[in-house]
Amino acid sequence: MALTIWRWFVAAAAGCAAIWFGLAAKAQGKPAPAASSDYGSGFKANAYYASLATIRQSTDRLRLLTIRDSLLAIANRRPAPGLTVLLSDEFGSAGSQLDSLLRNRYAQNVGSSNTRVIVAAVMDSAQFERGLSRPRPGWLLPITVFAPQAGDSVCVSILRIGLPLSSGPSFITRNLLSRETVGSMVSACSYYAAFGPPGPDVARWLRDRGWRLGQIADWKERPEPLQRRPVGQLPLYARFAGGFDDDSWRVRSLVPTTGVTCLAGRPGKCAEAALNGRAMTSDSAWRSGVVALNGTNQLRFYLPGEIGSLGPSEGWVLSEMMRTLGPEKFAQFWRSTEPVDRAFANASGRSIDEWIGDWARGVYGPMETGPGLPVSGVITGLLFLAAGFGLSAAIANRRRVA
Amino acid sequence: MFEIPRAFVVVAFVASTALPAVGAAQTVAEYTRRVDSLGAAWRAAALQPPPLASEAPRVGTLSDTVREGNFVVLVDSGLADLARRAAAIANPKLDRAYGASAARLRTRTFVLRRKTGADTTQIVSGIQGTGGVLRFASAEVREPRALANSWIIKAEELITQSLEPSFREWLGAPIQSEQQTERIIANGKVHLVLAGSSAASDCANGKLQRCAQALGVVTVTDPIKTLYDEAEQRALLERYAFMLKKMDEPKYGRCINQNRQATCDSLLRTIPVEGIPTSVPPVVRQNFVHYALFVGGEGAFDRLANATGTVSDRIATAARVPTDSVIRGWYETLMHSPSSSTAINMTTVLSSIFWAMLCGALALRSSRWR
């Protein structure tokens, strides 16, 4: 039977109809699973841990406030403007080294100031507070900064350990005395001491990002670019990248996509990386006056948390702003009542997008993005193209048509 | 059914209490009130932690407690007698090895219970940890001597953990309770000779100063250059080739391919201290400490546990002789004692010849050869 156009059309229509109705007809499969009988126990589990987490957070904060008040009482015995360093005996010989590092760093950053700054390192081993359990700090070197409030000019920075330093692994002392830990201990207070409270938009910008961009303060020396440091000398937070021969891919494993587009010079991306992003909106009352930071610790190395848009060195951004702009321009930016990008542009004469881009490329190196060919690839391709044309033309010229 | 609404109320109350009013100052008084409110609600709800879904073994609910010498054991019903007999076997060995320090075990609770699940004839023992977790869990045989051996191993681990952390870190292995035997001596000799560092080789060849360096009882300022020769340093570079190439591939090439020693030295210095392997394995240090305790006699472990200072100071305090003397004695025992021989003994030789000849004779009597 010949396949005429009509027969073909009918067969195609019949086939489509069969497929359509075959898909539309739903077979009677397994009945829907019954509601989980563990729903009740699951809710109870969450209720237990959720309540416990809230209690432990509150007891930990109560403990922090108690420590803060104790430190203030000790410092008030001989009140004096400027820096006061208080260290527990449990830090042993490392305590005197830490004291020296803190004083040097603060002197380099601030010099003299009327703001009272108390920087303390204490052992906090209590596991219960008013009969309720609380987390012990362990070896993560948490740093809590109580910023000066209205009518108050005291900034208190507290680093805690949960056990005597002598009972910890040997690398804890190295972490404690690292440039990053020392910088974190004095960071927030240095800014308050030197420039006073920040303008509302700058304060919100820092607060909503948990001070990620102002974690470390070292206003005299620039941190060495990451790509030029041997792996063994990298800060712990930058040492986890590996497995690539090409440096650009190593940077891609350190810096998220937004930061990579900034490194590639895409307009507006650097400002987006610095100013936008997920903001912390919960717990605003506590965070309005308290900054939670961390010193160098192994957890940030082996299990890094959320990586910021500007990579592992983003904690240096604010410090580098201060170092490159100078105290007067930075103070103008810091105290401005305008939005952050406008405040920065007015103070520095450059857009924040441009400045962040230059800073990021200085730390991580430039980056190329997109599917473009390198110049050598284009030239090679053109040469082959020309050679191909030439060869085919030569063959065609020798052809004779009988 | 009744607990679900109560849990809901607790969560709601906790959540509302935990949300501070905007603009509230951070004061001790405020947070004291908050913590007290939370505590009152928490206690009133009396929520229990849900059962963990993990595979970690649990202590469970056990009824009896056996106290025998250094051991405090939580036991399942019907296992008390087994626990008591096992403890009676283990106690003298631990007292002999650790002296008064063996009593520290009483601060830890051993557990002996039936295995959970379908087969309850199996028994499990371990150490009670926090949160009801069973640490060092192991399946056991219902035989007092075997159970005692298992508990001795656990006790060695626990007692070693009670030592000062830096000493523990140096040692890298538990201090054994076993008496000095030929097997232990021979084992130490084998591991020293096969350690694979020039320091260990020099030590095995009689250079006692190198023994002190290899064991780590003296401070070494440049471990790589001091403990390893050039061939071993090169092996170390090749071991870290992946990281070193990423740092500076041309430099690595100049070192490995062109044998430029200065370049290799520069690369070696980039290896972090914690990346340098120890020149002798932990079993050699363990052997050394074991010998020091043997020399120190009664109370040696107690002196070691209570000593302060460097590793060398602690060894000398435990042994009651200078560390150099301990090293000399340990070396002589290890390398030159008849007990340390690793050669095949005559019994093994004769039995091997016998069996070889027997198998050969049987093969020759095979019908195939007729």
Side-chain angles (χ1 to χ4, degrees):
Chain A
M1 184 168 61
L3 183 62
T4 62
I5 190 72
W6 282 109
R7 285 173 185 162
W8 174 86
F9 180 78
V10 168
C16 290
I19 292 171
W20 175 262
F21 287 109
L23 287 174
K26 293 194 187 300
Q28 290 296 319
K30 288 183 288 188
S36 169
S37 59
D38 290 334
Y39 178 75
S41 61
F43 176 79
K44 276 196 290 184
N46 288 335
Y48 176 85
Y49 287 117
S51 303
L52 186 62
T54 305
I55 285 172
R56 287 163 69 90
Q57 183 193 63
S58 295
T59 52
D60 189 51
R61 289 181 177 178
L62 174 59
R63 182 76 180 152
L64 264 173
L65 291 168
T66 309
I67 292 173
R68 180 200 65 181
D69 290 354
S70 300
L71 294 170
L72 285 171
I74 294 170
N76 284 339
R77 288 179 202 155
R78 282 183 293 181
L83 177 69
T84 303
V85 178
L86 300 171
L87 302 170
S88 293
D89 293 338
E90 285 78 8
F91 287 86
S93 59
S96 57
Q97 296 178 60
L98 182 62
D99 184 296
S100 170
L101 289 169
L102 288 168
R103 291 183 190 281
N104 288 342
R105 182 67 65 87
Y106 187 82
Q108 284 174 12
N109 286 351
V110 179
S112 63
S113 164
N114 287 331
T115 302
R116 287 181 63 203
V117 172
I118 301 171
V119 178
V122 302
M123 192 178 88
D124 176 17
S125 59
Q127 292 179 279
F128 294 93
E129 187 73 25
R130 300 187 75 79
L132 299 172
S133 72
R134 62 171 292 264
R136 199 161 59 177
W139 299 120
L140 298 183
L141 305 183
I143 299 168
T144 309
V145 182
F146 293 92
Q149 299 295 297
D152 173 23
S153 65
V154 183
C155 185
V156 183
S157 173
I158 305 170
L159 178 145
R160 295 178 293 157
I161 57 173
L163 293 166
L165 203 63
S166 56
S167 68
S170 52
F171 56 77
I172 298 299
T173 303
R174 189 183 64 209
N175 291 351
L176 179 70
L177 302 176
S178 71
R179 192 178 174 194
E180 289 77 21
T181 300
V182 172
S184 294
M185 289 180 77
V186 302
S187 65
C189 289
S190 293
Y191 293 103
Y192 277 89
F195 308 111
D201 282 278
V202 172
R204 186 167 43 246
W205 171 57
L206 291 170
R207 184 182 62 235
D208 289 350
R209 279 149 197 82
W211 273 74
R212 291 177 78 128
L213 301 182
Q215 169 124 2
I216 301 165
D218 186 344
W219 300 345
K220 292 300 180 207
E221 286 187 31
R222 178 192 175 188
E224 193 172 338
L226 286 185
Q227 80 242 46
R228 288 195 215 123
R229 291 165 83 170
V231 171
Q233 291 178 17
L234 287 175
L236 284 186
Y237 58 69
R239 231 191 272 180
F240 55 85
F244 306 109
D245 291 324
D246 184 352
D247 270 345
S248 70
W249 285 102
R250 180 164 168 249
V251 172
R252 286 170 196 269
S253 66
L254 286 172
V255 181
T257 308
T258 310
V260 169
T261 55
C262 167
L263 291 171
R266 301 269 178 94
K269 288 298 180 183
C270 297
E272 180 184 329
L275 302 178
N276 297 351
R278 196 163 57 191
M280 300 161 62
T281 53
S282 62
D283 210 8
S284 57
W286 176 259
R287 288 188 298 104
S288 67
V290 182
V291 181
L293 304 171
N294 270 103
T296 302
N297 63 70
Q298 308 305 98
L299 194 65
R300 289 172 66 192
F301 170 51
Y302 289 109
L303 292 173
E306 182 187 331
I307 301 172
S309 300
L310 293 173
S313 289
E314 66 173 3
W316 291 89
V317 166
L318 200 66
S319 177
E320 285 293 282
M321 280 182 181
M322 165 56 204
R323 192 182 64 82
T324 56
L325 296 182
E328 280 146 16
K329 289 184 180 176
F330 185 82
Q332 182 186 345
F333 161 69
W334 179 259
R335 297 179 194 138
S336 172
T337 55
E338 293 180 303
V340 173
D341 52 350
R342 206 175 305 157
F344 187 86
N346 290 340
S348 66
R350 298 175 68 191
S351 71
I352 195 169
D353 183 65
E354 189 186 328
W355 188 93
I356 293 283
D358 288 344
W359 167 82
R361 282 184 285 276
V363 171
Y364 302 111
M367 180 73 67
E368 287 182 8
T369 59
L373 286 172
V375 173
S376 57
V378 173
I379 294 173
T380 307
L382 288 173
L383 283 173
F384 271 103
L385 207 58
F389 275 127
L391 187 64
S392 57
I395 293 172
N397 279 341
R398 294 179 61 175
R399 192 182 295 168
R400 293 288 182 265
V401 180
Chain B
M1 280 293 290
F2 180 71
E3 291 179 343
I4 295 175
R6 184 172 61 173
F8 182 77
V9 168
V10 168
V11 172
F13 178 80
V14 164
S16 64
T17 311
L19 290 172
V22 174
Q26 296 96 13
T27 64
V28 170
E30 177 204 340
Y31 268 86
T32 302
R33 274 195 304 276
R34 184 169 306 153
V35 168
D36 288 346
S37 299
L38 289 172
W42 176 258
R43 291 184 197 101
L47 290 178
Q48 296 298 318
L52 292 176
S54 72
E55 296 296 321
R58 313 285 300 172
V59 173
T61 308
L62 300 174
S63 51
D64 299 330
T65 304
V66 168
R67 297 177 195 277
E68 182 74 26
N70 301 312
F71 289 90
V72 176
V73 189
L74 276 177
V75 295
D76 232 334
S77 58
L79 296 177
D81 184 57
L82 175 63
R84 203 164 280 115
R85 285 189 286 156
I89 295 170
N91 275 322
K93 293 183 181 177
L94 295 175
D95 289 335
R96 198 164 43 238
Y98 302 118
S101 296
R104 293 181 190 187
L105 284 176
R106 291 189 204 128
T107 60
R108 310 302 293 267
T109 305
F110 282 67
V111 173
L112 181 66
R113 63 166 176 77
R114 290 186 188 77
K115 198 173 179 181
T116 54
D119 186 5
T120 57
T121 59
Q122 305 291 321
I123 58 174
V124 173
S125 83
I127 311 294
Q128 186 182 41
T130 53
V133 173
L134 189 64
R135 293 180 56 214
F136 299 113
S138 57
E140 306 292 353
V141 177
R142 285 179 186 253
E143 199 278 319
R145 198 165 297 277
L147 183 60
N149 287 337
S150 172
W151 283 359
I152 287 172
I153 292 171
K154 295 179 185 10
E156 289 172 353
E157 195 69 53
L158 290 174
I159 291 176
T160 306
Q161 282 180 7
S162 67
L163 296 175
E164 197 265 338
S166 65
F167 183 83
R168 252 187 3 243
E169 199 178 326
W170 167 81
L171 182 59
I175 295 182
Q176 292 173 306
S177 59
E178 193 178 350
Q179 296 295 294
Q180 195 83 345
T181 61
E182 290 182 10
R183 185 189 65 79
I184 289 178
I185 296 170
N187 192 42
K189 179 180 181 180
V190 166
H191 282 90
L192 177 65
V193 169
L194 298 179
S197 68
S198 65
S201 302
D202 290 345
C203 174
N205 287 326
K207 295 180 185 174
L208 298 184
Q209 181 57 30
R210 293 288 271 165
C211 289
Q213 292 175 341
L215 288 167
V217 295
V218 294
T219 307
V220 173
T221 50
D222 191 352
I224 294 183
K225 300 298 260 179
T226 307
L227 301 176
Y228 299 95
D229 61 21
E230 285 187 12
E232 291 156 358
Q233 291 167 23
R234 187 188 173 93
L236 205 57
L237 289 170
E238 289 171 357
R239 177 174 170 168
Y240 286 106
F242 178 73
M243 299 301 288
L244 294 172
K245 276 188 196 173
K246 284 172 55 61
M247 285 160 49
D248 194 331
E249 184 158 9
K251 194 173 184 179
Y252 182 82
R254 285 196 297 276
C255 163
I256 295 298
N257 300 329
Q258 300 175 26
N259 282 324
R260 293 197 190 176
Q261 190 58 44
T263 311
C264 292
D265 289 349
S266 168
L267 280 174
L268 284 170
R269 278 191 290 274
T270 63
I271 299 175
V273 171
E274 59 267 22
I276 303 170
T278 53
S279 54
V280 294
V283 67
V284 175
R285 293 178 173 173
Q286 183 188 48
N287 192 283
F288 173 68
V289 170
H290 201 249
Y291 176 80
L293 295 175
F294 169 71
V295 168
E298 191 175 335
F301 187 89
D302 295 323
R303 290 192 296 276
L304 178 71
N306 296 324
T308 57
T310 63
V311 169
S312 177
D313 295 338
R314 291 167 192 270
I315 295 291
T317 305
R320 291 190 288 194
V321 293
T323 306
D324 292 344
S325 304
V326 178
I327 292 175
R328 188 179 311 115
W330 170 72
Y331 170 80
E332 292 295 330
T333 304
L334 215 64
M335 303 303 293
H336 299 145
S337 160
S339 307
S340 69
S341 171
T342 55
I344 300 172
N345 58 27
M346 189 54 62
T347 308
T348 306
V349 170
L350 290 175
S351 66
S352 299
I353 293 172
F354 168 76
W355 285 108
M357 290 180 64
L358 179 63
C359 289
L362 291 173
L364 287 172
R365 292 193 72 246
S366 167
S367 60
R368 192 183 291 253
W369 293 96
R370 290 180 181 163

